Amino acid sequence: MSLVANLHRQFEHLVRELAKFGSVGAIAFVITVAIGNGLHTGLGVGPLTSNGVATVIATTFSYLANRYWTFRHRDRTGLGREYILFFALNGVGLVITELFIGFSHYVLGLDGAVFYNIALVIGTGVATLFRFWSYKKWVFLPASAPQVAPASGLPEAPDAAEGPGATRAAAGPAPSPRLGHPLDAHAAEDYAEI
């Protein structure tokens, strides 16, 4: 078997996930460019405001497409938690893109649609790398991810005192089960009572 075929088989899941993520990102980018250019060059709205409004609209589309298509095989930890984290991480991605647009427009003095779009493409490329990594790490958790705390919506840290032979005190609260995880039925077997 060839090296390429062997690598493809090993990384087939990641390649499929990247292809879906890229497709969603391409459509979201078209939404961002169309709305951003319409606001900036068509209506005379400032470059940062134009991109900000366009990004919020594209982000809503992107969340829905990624949740229900790209990462549908991953754990669902609550629509509210995912939505808030998704928008927060997209906010970081927006800041990355805005830095490129702002630098081009305000520092270098490059005005016009061509320079706006060049900065938009470069900034979006850098922000996309950040988004893919951060979505997989914090928003769309893998099936083996730690449980999510209901109060904070963040993954729970493992207790340092727990180990292979450790027991959990009966008086302490039991951890909240992950939503829809196939191993939830076996969670009670993970902890021995005193």
Side-chain angles (χ1 to χ4, degrees):
M1 183 170 265
S2 74
L3 176 64
V4 174
N6 194 18
L7 286 174
H8 182 334
R9 191 166 14 105
Q10 288 179 359
F11 295 104
E12 182 177 6
H13 180 71
L14 180 61
V15 168
R16 207 172 325 120
E17 205 171 64
L18 277 168
K20 288 180 178 182
F21 182 79
S23 299
V24 169
I27 294 169
F29 182 71
V30 168
I31 293 169
T32 303
V33 169
I35 294 173
N37 277 294
L39 292 172
H40 180 59
T41 57
L43 300 176
V45 178
L48 299 179
T49 303
S50 299
N51 184 58
V53 169
T55 300
V56 168
I57 294 168
T59 297
T60 301
F61 161 77
S62 182
Y63 171 75
L64 294 171
N66 279 311
R67 169 71 281 168
Y68 296 106
W69 187 49
T70 307
F71 299 113
R72 72 174 179 234
H73 59 283
R74 290 177 167 256
D75 271 356
R76 296 188 186 223
T77 57
L79 183 65
R81 177 199 166 275
E82 288 177 359
Y83 193 72
I84 290 169
L85 276 175
F86 190 88
F87 268 85
L89 295 170
N90 262 287
V92 174
L94 174 62
V95 168
I96 292 169
T97 304
E98 295 276 282
L99 288 171
F100 281 88
I101 293 170
F103 183 78
S104 170
H105 185 79
Y106 296 111
V107 176
L108 300 178
L110 302 172
D111 294 331
V114 172
F115 296 115
Y116 170 80
N117 284 305
I118 290 171
L120 179 63
V121 168
I122 295 170
T124 300
V126 173
T128 297
L129 295 174
F130 167 77
R131 286 179 178 123
F132 182 72
W133 170 78
S134 64
Y135 295 166
K136 287 179 62 107
K137 183 159 180 73
W138 291 306
V139 180
F140 305 118
L141 301 177
S144 62
Q147 296 179 9
V148 175
S152 67
L154 298 173
E156 294 177 343
D159 188 2
E162 292 181 8
T167 60
R168 184 177 293 269
S176 61
R178 292 195 329 237
L179 302 175
H181 192 275
L183 299 178
D184 281 346
H186 305 292
E189 297 171 10
D190 292 341
Y191 300 99
E193 292 188 15
I194 298 178

